[in-house]
Amino acid sequence: MTSHWQDWPPQVLAVLRKGVVIPAHPLALTAERKLDSRRQRALTRYYLDAGAGGLAVGVHTTQFAIREAGLFEPVLELAMRSAAEWTRAPAIMIAGLVGRTAQAVNEAQVARVLGYHAGLLSLAALKGASEDELIAHAQTVARELPLVGFYLQPAVGGLVLPVSFWRRFAITLYTGNDDHIILDLVTPFTVTANGRERTVRIKGGLLGHWSVWVKRAVELLERTHAAVAKNEVSAELLALDAQVTDSNAAIFDAANDFHGVIAGCHEILRRQGLLEGIWCLDPSETLGPGQGQEIDRVCAAYPHLNDDAFVRANLQRWLS
C-alpha cells in the first residue's frame, strides 16, 4: 500500500520476510480494571524471551476499548519501551489501527512517533463501504505508516473482504487464521500475478492464539519451516495441527460464538502466573459457559503444547 516498507531497518525487514511469531499482545489489568504496568511489561518480556519476532499492540486481543479508556498511547508506549529495554534483537513492532479515516490516520501518527514499524488496519468501522472506498482509506492511512492487512472475522465485529480486495492490498503473507495455524504454514498457495502463476507460502503468523504458549509456537514455526524446506509434511505435524485447532476452540470459546475469546487467552496466562486475573475492560467480557472446563480438557490432553515450565523458570525475572 505504501513505499515506506523500504525505509524499515534492513534487519527488521529481514525478520519479517523470514517469517516469525508475532503475538497479539493482551492487556494486563488490575481487579479495578486499571492498567497493570508491571504485568503488562512482564508479558512483553515473556514474548521476546520465548523467541517472538515482534509484537502487535492495540489490536483485538489488546481490547479495542483501550481507546475509550484513554490507554491507546500509554499501552503502545509501554510495549515499545519495554521491548527496547529488554532486548537488542530486531523486533517487528505493529500497532493496531481502527476507526474511520481520521481516527485511523491519527492512530498511525501516534504509532509512528513512538517508533512502530507498521499498522495492523481494521476495516470494521467501514461496514457498507465499497471496495474502492476501502482501498482509498487504506492508502490514506498508509501515507503515515506501512500497513498490514487485517481480516477480523464477522463473528467478532469484522466484515467480509473479497479476494479482489486482497489482490490490491497484499504483501508478504502471514496467517491470522487461529484455527488452522500449522496447515496454513505448510500449504503452498498458487496465485496469478501479471498473468503468471507463482507459488507463495505463508511465512509466519500474527495471532491472538500466539498470545499464549509462545515458546511452543516458536518451536512449531521452526518445525514447519523445516518441513517446507524438505517438502515433507509428516503425519505427526498434521496431528499437531488438529491438536492446536482443538486447543484454539477452547481458548477462543468457539462453542459460545467467541464470547470468551480474550478472557480465554487471559485464563491461560493467569494459570501460568503472568496475569493476576482474567479481567477485561468490559465487565461482561469473561469466560463463556463451560469454557473453563474446555480449557481444563485441552491442557490435560496436550501437555506438549504448553510452555508452563519455561514460564515458571523465568516468571520472577519478568515481573522484576
Side-chain angles (χ1 to χ4, degrees), residues 171-183:
I171 55 166
T172 299
L173 296 178
Y174 271 57
T175 182
N177 175 22
D178 295 271
D179 68 354
H180 265 302
I181 298 168
I182 294 174
L183 278 186

PDB file of all heavy atoms in Angstrom, residues 171-183:
ATOM      1  N   ILE A 171       0.848  -8.171   0.734  1.00  0.00           N
ATOM      2  CA  ILE A 171       2.305  -8.094   0.927  1.00  0.00           C
ATOM      3  C   ILE A 171       2.801  -9.490   1.281  1.00  0.00           C
ATOM      4  O   ILE A 171       2.147 -10.471   0.973  1.00  0.00           O
ATOM      5  CB  ILE A 171       2.651  -7.074   2.056  1.00  0.00           C
ATOM      6  CG1 ILE A 171       1.912  -7.428   3.335  1.00  0.00           C
ATOM      7  CG2 ILE A 171       2.271  -5.657   1.646  1.00  0.00           C
ATOM      8  CD1 ILE A 171       2.396  -6.752   4.554  1.00  0.00           C
ATOM      9  N   THR A 172       3.984  -9.589   1.944  1.00  0.00           N
ATOM     10  CA  THR A 172       4.444 -10.869   2.481  1.00  0.00           C
ATOM     11  C   THR A 172       3.318 -11.489   3.302  1.00  0.00           C
ATOM     12  O   THR A 172       2.683 -10.821   4.107  1.00  0.00           O
ATOM     13  CB  THR A 172       5.681 -10.661   3.381  1.00  0.00           C
ATOM     14  OG1 THR A 172       6.734 -10.094   2.592  1.00  0.00           O
ATOM     15  CG2 THR A 172       6.156 -11.990   3.961  1.00  0.00           C
ATOM     16  N   LEU A 173       3.055 -12.798   3.120  1.00  0.00           N
ATOM     17  CA  LEU A 173       1.885 -13.425   3.723  1.00  0.00           C
ATOM     18  C   LEU A 173       2.164 -13.949   5.126  1.00  0.00           C
ATOM     19  O   LEU A 173       3.124 -14.697   5.344  1.00  0.00           O
ATOM     20  CB  LEU A 173       1.394 -14.572   2.834  1.00  0.00           C
ATOM     21  CG  LEU A 173       0.887 -14.171   1.442  1.00  0.00           C
ATOM     22  CD1 LEU A 173       0.472 -15.418   0.671  1.00  0.00           C
ATOM     23  CD2 LEU A 173      -0.279 -13.199   1.538  1.00  0.00           C
ATOM     24  N   TYR A 174       1.307 -13.553   6.050  1.00  0.00           N
ATOM     25  CA  TYR A 174       1.289 -14.077   7.415  1.00  0.00           C
ATOM     26  C   TYR A 174      -0.115 -14.598   7.676  1.00  0.00           C
ATOM     27  O   TYR A 174      -1.096 -14.024   7.196  1.00  0.00           O
ATOM     28  CB  TYR A 174       1.624 -12.976   8.432  1.00  0.00           C
ATOM     29  CG  TYR A 174       3.097 -12.842   8.713  1.00  0.00           C
ATOM     30  CD1 TYR A 174       3.992 -12.596   7.684  1.00  0.00           C
ATOM     31  CD2 TYR A 174       3.602 -12.971   9.996  1.00  0.00           C
ATOM     32  CE1 TYR A 174       5.351 -12.479   7.926  1.00  0.00           C
ATOM     33  CE2 TYR A 174       4.954 -12.855  10.255  1.00  0.00           C
ATOM     34  CZ  TYR A 174       5.827 -12.613   9.217  1.00  0.00           C
ATOM     35  OH  TYR A 174       7.172 -12.515   9.461  1.00  0.00           O
ATOM     36  N   THR A 175      -0.207 -15.671   8.453  1.00  0.00           N
ATOM     37  CA  THR A 175      -1.535 -16.154   8.795  1.00  0.00           C
ATOM     38  C   THR A 175      -2.081 -15.393  10.006  1.00  0.00           C
ATOM     39  O   THR A 175      -1.353 -15.073  10.939  1.00  0.00           O
ATOM     40  CB  THR A 175      -1.548 -17.666   9.070  1.00  0.00           C
ATOM     41  OG1 THR A 175      -2.897 -18.066   9.346  1.00  0.00           O
ATOM     42  CG2 THR A 175      -0.673 -18.051  10.256  1.00  0.00           C
ATOM     43  N   GLY A 176      -3.369 -15.124   9.940  1.00  0.00           N
ATOM     44  CA  GLY A 176      -4.088 -14.600  11.093  1.00  0.00           C
ATOM     45  C   GLY A 176      -5.213 -15.552  11.433  1.00  0.00           C
ATOM     46  O   GLY A 176      -6.114 -15.237  12.187  1.00  0.00           O
ATOM     47  N   ASN A 177      -5.139 -16.759  10.848  1.00  0.00           N
ATOM     48  CA  ASN A 177      -6.204 -17.764  10.938  1.00  0.00           C
ATOM     49  C   ASN A 177      -5.913 -18.676  12.127  1.00  0.00           C
ATOM     50  O   ASN A 177      -5.197 -19.662  12.011  1.00  0.00           O
ATOM     51  CB  ASN A 177      -6.241 -18.557   9.629  1.00  0.00           C
ATOM     52  CG  ASN A 177      -7.223 -19.707   9.660  1.00  0.00           C
ATOM     53  OD1 ASN A 177      -8.153 -19.709  10.453  1.00  0.00           O
ATOM     54  ND2 ASN A 177      -7.009 -20.689   8.813  1.00  0.00           N
ATOM     55  N   ASP A 178      -6.482 -18.331  13.280  1.00  0.00           N
ATOM     56  CA  ASP A 178      -6.106 -19.011  14.519  1.00  0.00           C
ATOM     57  C   ASP A 178      -6.511 -20.482  14.578  1.00  0.00           C
ATOM     58  O   ASP A 178      -6.023 -21.212  15.427  1.00  0.00           O
ATOM     59  CB  ASP A 178      -6.744 -18.285  15.712  1.00  0.00           C
ATOM     60  CG  ASP A 178      -6.206 -16.877  15.887  1.00  0.00           C
ATOM     61  OD1 ASP A 178      -5.201 -16.716  16.586  1.00  0.00           O
ATOM     62  OD2 ASP A 178      -6.790 -15.938  15.327  1.00  0.00           O
ATOM     63  N   ASP A 179      -7.413 -20.939  13.693  1.00  0.00           N
ATOM     64  CA  ASP A 179      -7.907 -22.298  13.882  1.00  0.00           C
ATOM     65  C   ASP A 179      -7.306 -23.343  12.952  1.00  0.00           C
ATOM     66  O   ASP A 179      -7.674 -24.512  13.040  1.00  0.00           O
ATOM     67  CB  ASP A 179      -9.448 -22.338  13.835  1.00  0.00           C
ATOM     68  CG  ASP A 179     -10.001 -22.039  12.447  1.00  0.00           C
ATOM     69  OD1 ASP A 179      -9.206 -21.684  11.563  1.00  0.00           O
ATOM     70  OD2 ASP A 179     -11.223 -22.159  12.266  1.00  0.00           O
ATOM     71  N   HIS A 180      -6.392 -22.959  12.073  1.00  0.00           N
ATOM     72  CA  HIS A 180      -5.646 -23.968  11.301  1.00  0.00           C
ATOM     73  C   HIS A 180      -4.236 -23.466  11.037  1.00  0.00           C
ATOM     74  O   HIS A 180      -3.772 -23.418   9.896  1.00  0.00           O
ATOM     75  CB  HIS A 180      -6.363 -24.323   9.995  1.00  0.00           C
ATOM     76  CG  HIS A 180      -7.243 -25.528  10.113  1.00  0.00           C
ATOM     77  ND1 HIS A 180      -6.766 -26.757  10.512  1.00  0.00           N
ATOM     78  CD2 HIS A 180      -8.567 -25.687   9.934  1.00  0.00           C
ATOM     79  CE1 HIS A 180      -7.770 -27.629  10.552  1.00  0.00           C
ATOM     80  NE2 HIS A 180      -8.875 -27.003  10.228  1.00  0.00           N
ATOM     81  N   ILE A 181      -3.557 -23.133  12.110  1.00  0.00           N
ATOM     82  CA  ILE A 181      -2.275 -22.440  12.021  1.00  0.00           C
ATOM     83  C   ILE A 181      -1.239 -23.263  11.260  1.00  0.00           C
ATOM     84  O   ILE A 181      -0.601 -22.776  10.315  1.00  0.00           O
ATOM     85  CB  ILE A 181      -1.762 -22.107  13.444  1.00  0.00           C
ATOM     86  CG1 ILE A 181      -2.739 -21.159  14.145  1.00  0.00           C
ATOM     87  CG2 ILE A 181      -0.370 -21.493  13.375  1.00  0.00           C
ATOM     88  CD1 ILE A 181      -2.490 -20.992  15.632  1.00  0.00           C
ATOM     89  N   ILE A 182      -1.054 -24.508  11.664  1.00  0.00           N
ATOM     90  CA  ILE A 182       0.020 -25.308  11.077  1.00  0.00           C
ATOM     91  C   ILE A 182      -0.254 -25.597   9.608  1.00  0.00           C
ATOM     92  O   ILE A 182       0.652 -25.501   8.764  1.00  0.00           O
ATOM     93  CB  ILE A 182       0.245 -26.598  11.889  1.00  0.00           C
ATOM     94  CG1 ILE A 182       0.774 -26.244  13.294  1.00  0.00           C
ATOM     95  CG2 ILE A 182       1.212 -27.538  11.177  1.00  0.00           C
ATOM     96  CD1 ILE A 182       0.908 -27.424  14.230  1.00  0.00           C
ATOM     97  N   LEU A 183      -1.486 -25.934   9.271  1.00  0.00           N
ATOM     98  CA  LEU A 183      -1.805 -26.181   7.864  1.00  0.00           C
ATOM     99  C   LEU A 183      -1.550 -24.939   7.013  1.00  0.00           C
ATOM    100  O   LEU A 183      -1.057 -25.049   5.888  1.00  0.00           O
ATOM    101  CB  LEU A 183      -3.253 -26.635   7.707  1.00  0.00           C
ATOM    102  CG  LEU A 183      -3.544 -28.110   7.961  1.00  0.00           C
ATOM    103  CD1 LEU A 183      -4.994 -28.418   7.624  1.00  0.00           C
ATOM    104  CD2 LEU A 183      -2.622 -29.008   7.146  1.00  0.00           C
TER     105      LEU A 183
END
